[in-house]
Amino acid sequence: MTDPGTKQIHLAAHFPGVNNTTVWSDPRSASQIDFDSFRHLARTAERGRFDFFFLAEGLRLREMKGKIHDLDVVGRPESLTVLSALAAVTTHLGLAATVNSTFNEPYEVARRLASLDHLSGGRAAWNVVTSFDAFTGENFRRGGFLAEADRYTRAAEFLETARELWDTWAADAVAADAASGAFVREGGITPFLHQGRHFDISGRFNTPRPPQGHPVIIQAGDSDEGREFAASAADVIFSRHSKLEEGRVFYSDVKRRLAAYGRRHEDLKILPAVTYVLGDTDAEAHERAAEIRRAQVSPQTAISFIEGYWGRDLSGYDPDGPLPDIDPDLDEGVSKGRAQFRRDRGEVVAKWRALAEEKNLSIRELVIELAAPQTFIGTPQAVADEIDTFVQTDAADGFIFVPHLTPTGLDDLVDKVVPLLQEKGVFRADYSGPTLRDHLGLAPRTSKETA
């Protein structure tokens, strides 16, 4: 029997592809664009009783030295469109999309998300993100006018406005009463009026209230502003803290902020992004992990990565040779659309030089060393035990798995690790309800809630 104090683990799947996490050159890898790939990964996640399937989104193709950075995925279909199609080939799996709050409008986004929630029977989720750069803004009428300091104020007001729109429809607004001829109940739909710093809109919302009340809200920011925004408004945090001690510190910091907004500890789930590599022995798993990391950090990837920090064309350097002996150009940049290359490049390069000298690392070896560490490596039993330890010791409420292969990268996890978690009694044997809020243990949103 499971201890009543034992936490239940939440699992989600991320369709990989951005930031070179996918080894697309692997012969087992399939298309990043064809619907069959999305369907396979989503159905695998649902077979494993995962909470949701997550799609990232970018609004402009990244560039390197004035050309499309084709080491990233180029041509990914729009996320909500893909998820609407997946709603027809899944039955319980939550469907989460990144939708930008800087270069969209609340009415349009609220309508699209409400539509997805209806089409899926209450399985929609929205990862609320912001954009920092005028480069992305060039694709839009407003351009790059929004100051970086204002991005979270706009995001907060954007989400507030979307919730106001969803709340204008009562849950029983659609009467469809043939006898009286009334399709909508009298008073079931109220006008909206929002006048704020970023939005001044009024009218009537044209989409019925979502089955969940509001779609599940996900947030991924790690700054103090981002953490506060998550504590005030999010249901899930897509965290980057995948090391045990770092995870505990982050978990404690964010959870303590909830009380200020009248929220409970369990009202916000913290799910770090993680990877896994399995083997019949721990040694075999670590050997495979090293092979995967070298495939992810190709020679082109290694040079491209350091070019972003040097601000120079370094294509003439040997990726298996030492770091460039020239100083970075701090006034220029060769990469556009990547936040990590924006600031403190001089300090970063100085630290890298010291690390490379200390460990005698080549360019490629250094980039491998700097890359986000692979999280769970070992036998299926060892990985299941480590996942459980993370959650039971409050380093996370669960994980969003980012596989290195598309679309079969979660097959082994679902077939070999999930059954062990189920045997431990820390992961569901079946879904307990139809909606994503059911999976996450979150109550439906009512129109009386303001947070």
Side-chain angles (χ1 to χ4, degrees), residues 301-312:
T301 298
I303 293 296
S304 172
F305 186 79
I306 68 166
E307 282 179 331
Y309 284 95
W310 256 260
R312 297 178 181 274

Side-chain angles (χ1 to χ4, degrees), residues 99-112 126 140-142 145 154 158 161-162 165 198-201:
V99 182
N100 192 289
S101 63
T102 305
F103 299 115
N104 279 297
E105 294 296 327
Y107 189 99
E108 178 189 21
V109 170
R111 186 181 184 216
R112 292 164 65 200
W126 171 21
F140 299 89
R141 176 177 56 82
R142 291 189 306 277
F145 86 97
R154 179 182 168 94
F158 194 115
T161 308
L165 295 172
H198 296 280
F199 307 107
D200 184 356
I201 59 174

Side-chain angles (χ1 to χ4, degrees), residues 179-201:
S180 67
F183 187 77
V184 176
R185 177 177 61 79
E186 182 70 25
I189 307 173
T190 57
F192 65 84
L193 171 63
H194 180 97
Q195 294 176 311
R197 177 183 174 189
H198 296 280
F199 307 107
D200 184 356
I201 59 174

Side-chain angles (χ1 to χ4, degrees), residues 26 67 70-71 91 120 130 174 184 214 225 243 246 250 261 302 316 324 334 349 364 430 439 448:
D26 190 295
K67 297 181 179 180
D70 62 0
L71 293 176
T91 57
S120 64
T130 65
V174 178
V184 176
H214 299 170
E225 286 177 313
K243 292 183 178 180
E246 288 181 3
F250 179 80
Y261 300 98
V334 296
V349 169
R364 190 179 183 194
D430 205 351
H439 310 340
K448 295 179 181 179

